[in-house]
């Protein structure tokens, strides 16, 4: 298994600002992912965070809006840029140490 | 990945077994059945997975029918803390680029009452 922590656990932000979410894993993992869960909805994959290269984004998500860093095998950040109220969601980091996927506790973001 | 069908909600008395069904009639031979749960506002928690044999761990049991078209997650002695949304997902178990793409449907809201 893997122990995943995220910072911050929650935040309230003003429209037009940006927030960077951190994800820390207790072991080195090759595959790390970022998900979004909008209110009342299921999880949606945003992107795959690749160590040493640019992230791979899913359809509907772009790097300018959600820049991702992956400086090493235990850490990644997701930035939500130029926020609007529609970005209010829970953002989740996820890893696959071997062949089972585990999720972090999530960051609850509210944009006013 | 194959689609799954789950009832939107179920309830269960505390201390009794909770049996959560899932239909996956289009499952392929190399697809595994995974179960996760999500307690309100927290990240999804892995519960168990299996291919064709029944599986048991400290959290739950997974019963997969012989034709693999459906499965049941069993929580043997439900507690109030088991109240959550339970997701049944079928996917290929590999290390390829699709591994992170777990597509969660609506799941089953299980409510355990005192």
């Amino acid at each position: 298994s893997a122990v995943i922590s995220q910072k911050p656990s929650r935040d309230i932000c003003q429209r037009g600002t940006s927030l960077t979410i951190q994800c820390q894993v207790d072991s080195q993992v090759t595959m790390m992912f970022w998900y979004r869960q909008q209110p009342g909805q299921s999880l949606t994959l945003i992107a795959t965070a690749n160590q040493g290269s640019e992230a791979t984004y899913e359809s509907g998500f772009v790097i300018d809006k959600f820049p991702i860093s992956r400086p090493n095998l235990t850490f990644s950040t997701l930035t939500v840029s130029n926020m609007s109220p529609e970005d209010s969601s829970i953002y989740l980091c996820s890893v696959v140490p071997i062949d089972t996927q585990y999720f972090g506790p999530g960051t609850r973001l509210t944009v006013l | 990945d194959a689609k799954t069908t789950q009832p939107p909600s179920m309830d269960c008395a505390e201390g009794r077994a909770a049996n959560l069904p899932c239909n996956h009639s289009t499952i392929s031979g190399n697809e595994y059945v995974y179960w996760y749960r999500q307690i309100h506002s927290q990240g999804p928690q892995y519960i168990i997975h299996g291919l064709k044999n029944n599986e048991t761990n400290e959290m739950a049991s997974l019963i997969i029918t012989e034709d693999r078209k459906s499965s049941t997650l069993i929580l043997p002695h439900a507690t109030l803390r088991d109240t959550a949304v339970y997701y049944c997902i079928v996917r290929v178990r590999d290390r390829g680029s699709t591994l992170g793409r777990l597509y969660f449907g609506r799941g089953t809201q299980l409510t355990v009452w005192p």
Side-chain angles (χ1 to χ4, degrees), chain B residues 9-58:
Chain B
S9 64
M10 297 182 65
D11 59 20
C12 174
E14 188 177 22
R16 304 296 293 268
N19 298 289
L20 295 112
C22 179
N23 287 321
H24 32 79
S25 58
T26 61
I27 191 170
S28 301
N30 61 346
E31 287 183 314
Y32 284 68
V33 180
Y34 283 82
W35 282 85
Y36 286 79
R37 72 180 182 184
Q38 189 173 25
I39 298 170
H40 182 63
S41 298
Q42 298 180 21
Q45 179 187 22
Y46 165 79
I47 301 173
I48 198 168
H49 73 276
L51 181 62
K52 55 184 179 180
N53 297 321
N54 297 338
E55 302 287 345
T56 296
N57 62 21
E58 65 278 5

Side-chain angles (χ1 to χ4, degrees), chain A residues 31 33 35 37 40-43 45 48 56 58 90 92 96 98-106 108, chain B residues 34 36 38 40-46 49 87 93-97 99-106:
Chain A
M31 307 196 73
F33 307 90
Y35 285 77
Q37 187 173 30
Q41 303 296 313
S42 189
L43 281 74
L45 180 63
T48 302
T56 304
E58 297 298 297
I90 298 173
L92 296 141
V96 185
I98 299 178
D99 52 19
T100 297
Q101 191 162 352
Y102 299 94
F103 290 83
R108 178 181 285 274
Chain B
Y34 283 82
Y36 286 79
Q38 189 173 25
H40 182 63
S41 298
Q42 298 180 21
Q45 179 187 22
Y46 165 79
H49 73 276
Y87 296 98
R93 181 187 179 196
D94 61 35
R95 299 192 184 193
S97 62
L99 190 54
R101 291 180 173 82
L102 279 184
Y103 290 105
F104 290 75
R106 289 288 191 169

Side-chain angles (χ1 to χ4, degrees), chain A residues 6-11 19-22 91 106-108:
Chain A
Q6 289 185 229
K7 290 182 181 178
S9 59
R10 58 176 61 225
D11 207 342
L19 175 72
T20 296
I21 302 168
Q22 299 179 5
Y91 291 86
T107 296
R108 178 181 285 274

